[in-house]
Amino acid sequence: MDLEKSPQPPGRQAPEGCLAVAIRLPVRIVVLVLVVPVRMVWDALVVAGRFLTDTVLRPVGRALLWLGRALFVWPLIGLWRYVVVPVGKGLGLLGKVLVVIPLTWFYRSVLTPLGHALLWMCARVLAPVARGVWWLLAAVGTGVYTGLAWLARYLLVVPAGWVYAWLLTPLGHAIAACARGLAWVVGTVATGIGVALYWIARVVLVLPALALWRWVLVPVGRVLAVVAREVGDALGHAWRVAGRISLAVGRALAALFRLVFVEPVRWLYRTVLTPVGHAVRDAVLRPAAALARSVGRATREALAAARESVRQARADFRRMLFGEPEPVERIDRREPTGRETRTLGRSTTALTKD
């Protein structure tokens, strides 16, 4: 039979203790009194920040962005497009003509034949000589290695094996036995000291610390956790309530501003300024505009007549000094008419027939 508690359904909440219920109401009242001014100041700062952003910061930012483009980006683009790129293309073409083409010619005409000659020399001359020298050195080295290996075997390896088998091995066994005995003694003493220190530490430190944790810190921590949870819930609740209060106050202030300032200004504009403006437009501005148009029209006509008079006087003065100009004979450049016109059904045209 399972004796464990069944989990509570997600819709139900755990029953709260009397401490949480006693702390909740005064904490929420105090937190609400403290949070309402902060929330109202916060909402006022948010509204002021949005207004400042929309009216000052965004236009200034756009102006600075345009100024930065005009002072830095566009000059740099023009410098890159019309100075750096053409100069780079010119330098690239100059480098190709002065460096790449001569190096290519030098590689094809000088280095390639020289490399072929060196390759033939290595394959036909140096390689057989190197193989002969290598075989000679290999034979000499093999003899020397064999002699040295025989000397090393009978002068070093055999005496070292005898010393290891008859001297070092027994001495090592004796040292290992002594070390094992010493390790057992040290381990026994260390185990006894560790057990004693363990019980001393358990009695002097662990048990008092465990009692302090179980009977003091855990209850105090639970109380502080309940207080902290209630304070956090109270802060969230007070922040939401303060937001609604701030919204209501803001709407009231907006309505008061509308009734005190906006509506009188709107009424003044509709009932006073608009009729006065229409009257001024109909009585003063339109007649003044019509008069200005008539004056302008008369002025243009007078100026046109004066220009025509000056032009006529200049023509008469020229005719008086130089006489009448010779008539210019006009040349008729149109197509010939009648029977002299071009025909499409015959081979003769007006330009080719006699």
Side-chain angles (χ1 to χ4, degrees):
M1 182 177 179
D2 191 4
L3 298 179
E4 295 181 356
K5 295 181 179 179
S6 61
Q8 296 180 356
R12 296 178 55 189
Q13 296 182 354
E16 299 178 347
C18 60
L19 180 62
V21 176
I23 291 174
R24 179 174 301 162
L25 185 59
V27 167
R28 288 195 174 185
I29 293 173
V30 173
V31 170
L32 180 61
V33 172
L34 296 176
V35 168
V36 168
V38 177
R39 181 60 188 263
M40 295 184 68
V41 172
W42 173 261
D43 292 338
L45 291 177
V46 169
V47 173
R50 290 178 180 175
F51 177 77
L52 184 63
T53 300
D54 295 336
T55 57
V56 178
L57 296 180
R58 187 175 288 119
V60 171
R62 291 176 180 174
L64 291 177
L65 180 61
W66 184 86
L67 184 62
R69 288 179 179 176
L71 293 179
F72 298 102
V73 178
W74 295 338
L76 289 177
I77 292 175
L79 180 64
W80 172 263
R81 182 176 298 174
Y82 299 107
V83 177
V84 176
V85 173
V87 171
K89 291 182 179 179
L91 292 177
L93 181 61
L94 185 63
K96 182 177 180 181
V97 173
L98 297 180
V99 178
V100 177
I101 295 176
L103 288 179
T104 304
W105 176 84
F106 182 74
Y107 173 77
R108 291 180 180 177
S109 302
V110 178
L111 296 180
T112 301
L114 183 61
H116 291 170
L118 291 176
L119 183 63
W120 181 85
M121 182 177 294
C122 290
R124 301 296 181 179
V125 178
L126 297 179
V129 174
R131 283 195 291 269
V133 172
W134 172 254
W135 284 110
L136 180 61
L137 293 177
V140 174
T142 302
V144 172
Y145 174 76
T146 303
L148 292 176
W150 185 83
L151 291 176
R153 177 180 177 80
Y154 288 100
L155 294 179
L156 297 176
V157 177
V158 174
W162 182 84
V163 170
Y164 176 79
W166 299 101
L167 293 178
L168 296 181
T169 300
L171 182 61
H173 289 170
I175 294 173
C178 294
R180 283 194 296 271
L182 182 61
W184 180 82
V185 173
V186 173
T188 303
V189 174
T191 303
I193 295 173
V195 171
L197 292 177
Y198 168 76
W199 283 106
I200 292 172
R202 182 178 178 83
V203 173
V204 175
L205 298 177
V206 176
L207 294 179
L210 184 61
L212 179 65
W213 171 262
R214 182 175 297 175
W215 302 108
V216 178
L217 296 180
V218 171
V220 173
R222 289 177 180 175
V223 173
L224 292 178
V226 172
V227 173
R229 185 186 62 196
E230 292 301 326
V231 169
D233 295 339
L235 283 174
H237 182 72
W239 186 260
R240 291 190 294 272
V241 173
R244 294 182 180 179
I245 295 174
S246 176
L247 180 61
V249 172
R251 289 178 178 176
L253 291 177
L256 181 62
F257 178 76
R258 188 181 300 109
L259 291 175
V260 173
F261 182 76
V262 177
E263 292 299 333
V265 171
R266 183 181 298 175
W267 176 84
L268 179 65
Y269 176 77
R270 288 180 178 178
T271 58
V272 177
L273 296 181
T274 301
V276 170
H278 291 172
V280 170
R281 181 190 62 187
D282 296 335
V284 178
L285 296 180
R286 285 183 177 176
L291 179 62
R293 285 195 296 271
S294 61
V295 171
R297 190 182 302 109
T299 304
R300 287 194 299 272
E301 292 177 356
L303 291 175
R307 284 196 297 270
E308 184 65 25
S309 300
V310 171
R311 188 182 300 110
Q312 187 67 31
R314 187 170 59 246
D316 294 339
F317 181 74
R318 186 184 301 109
R319 191 180 302 109
M320 182 180 64
L321 291 178
F322 302 103
E324 291 290 340
E326 296 181 359
V328 180
E329 184 180 358
R330 298 182 61 185
I331 300 175
D332 191 4
R333 298 181 180 274
R334 295 180 298 172
E335 294 288 337
T337 58
R339 298 186 61 184
E340 295 181 355
T341 57
R342 290 182 296 179
T343 58
L344 298 177
R346 293 181 298 174
S347 61
T348 59
T349 63
L351 299 177
T352 58
K353 68 180 181 179
D354 298 334

